[in-house]
Amino acid sequence: RIYRIAPDGFKPRQPPQLGKATTTELVATFEHKNAWHRETASRLLYERQDKSAVSLLIKLQQASKSALARLHALHALDGLGALKETEVLTALNDADPAVREHGIKLSETLFADAVAPAQLWARLRQLADDPDITVRYQLAFTLGEVKGLERIAPLAGIARRDVSDSWTQAAILSALAEGAGEVFSELSQDMGFRESKAGQDFLRQLVVLVG
């Protein structure tokens, strides 16, 4: 059995001892290029539940040039029970779509009785026009966790833009346990939407859902 082939004189690097790393070193590891390092550091921070990491994570999320580091910092704050509206809003305004997507998902932890805080809700509604489809896709799911008719307009907006995408259609429909009739009413008045094949198919699905 061959375990490793190496040239003469090869000296393997010593494996990292992240279990012995300080909290500060673990947070800094979120910027490492190797996924194993980042994920192990994230796991160790969660296991330690060291609240001294919170300020370091907030600083990393705000200042790191690495989108993956900002993403790990966001989830680490959630794992420590320290994720606040300020950090979620920072994520929702991030330049990287993956960070915005995860910010939307984590924003659900801040809803009280299916109602989002006013500033957070204002930003979520704007993301219905986000240029990245994965962001709009996640937003459709998250809007399903919100009560009230205010979610109808952003859901209809996503439908207009992404009606030809079957995955986004499914996300919108899953969000409409309530409000399918209102979305049908809004979209059926849009001539361009109702005359397109994808639009007609989606309106039929809404009718079935209402029924």
Side-chain angles (χ1 to χ4, degrees):
R1 181 179 294 177
I2 298 174
Y3 289 95
R4 174 177 293 178
I5 298 175
D8 292 338
F10 175 75
K11 294 182 179 180
R13 289 180 292 182
Q14 290 297 315
Q17 301 294 321
L18 290 181
K20 299 178 181 179
T22 66
T23 295
T24 300
E25 290 170 337
L26 289 178
V27 172
T29 303
F30 282 173
E31 294 191 292
H32 201 285
K33 293 182 179 181
N34 187 291
W36 180 89
H37 289 73
R38 297 192 307 271
E39 292 166 5
T40 302
S42 180
R43 174 178 59 79
L44 290 170
L45 280 174
Y46 178 78
E47 291 175 353
R48 292 181 186 181
Q49 288 294 303
D50 183 356
K51 301 302 182 182
S52 69
V54 172
S55 61
L56 299 171
L57 290 166
I58 292 174
K59 183 177 180 181
L60 185 71
Q61 189 208 5
Q62 293 174 342
S64 178
K65 295 181 180 179
S66 167
L68 285 171
R70 300 194 299 272
L71 184 57
H72 276 288
L74 185 68
H75 279 278
L77 286 167
D78 181 54
L80 291 172
L83 186 64
K84 306 297 183 185
E85 184 177 357
T86 300
E87 286 71 59
V88 172
L89 285 169
T90 298
L92 297 182
N93 288 293
D94 197 278
D96 188 272
V99 179
R100 297 197 300 276
E101 176 191 353
H102 283 257
I104 292 170
K105 185 175 182 179
L106 289 174
S107 73
E108 297 174 17
T109 64
L110 302 176
F111 295 177
D113 296 323
V115 177
Q119 189 176 0
L120 179 60
W121 175 239
R123 180 58 183 142
L124 287 172
R125 290 188 63 177
Q126 292 173 348
L127 289 170
D129 295 320
D130 192 274
D132 193 276
I133 191 171
T134 60
V135 174
R136 302 192 299 271
Y137 175 67
Q138 176 58 53
L139 179 61
F141 280 119
T142 295
L143 289 172
E145 302 298 318
V146 178
K147 287 183 179 177
L149 296 178
E150 287 188 332
R151 67 198 180 98
I152 299 303
L155 280 170
I158 296 171
R160 286 190 182 93
R161 185 164 184 169
D162 301 312
V163 68
S164 61
D165 182 79
S166 60
W167 290 97
T168 306
Q169 279 192 36
I172 297 168
L173 292 170
S174 76
L176 289 172
E178 297 178 0
E182 287 78 5
V183 172
F184 177 88
S185 178
E186 181 162 341
L187 292 177
S188 63
Q189 296 178 54
D190 186 326
M191 182 179 297
F193 187 90
R194 71 170 184 260
E195 290 185 351
S196 68
K197 184 180 185 306
Q200 291 172 6
D201 290 342
F202 186 69
L203 289 173
R204 291 190 189 97
Q205 293 185 72
L206 286 175
V207 170
V208 172
L209 190 59
V210 171

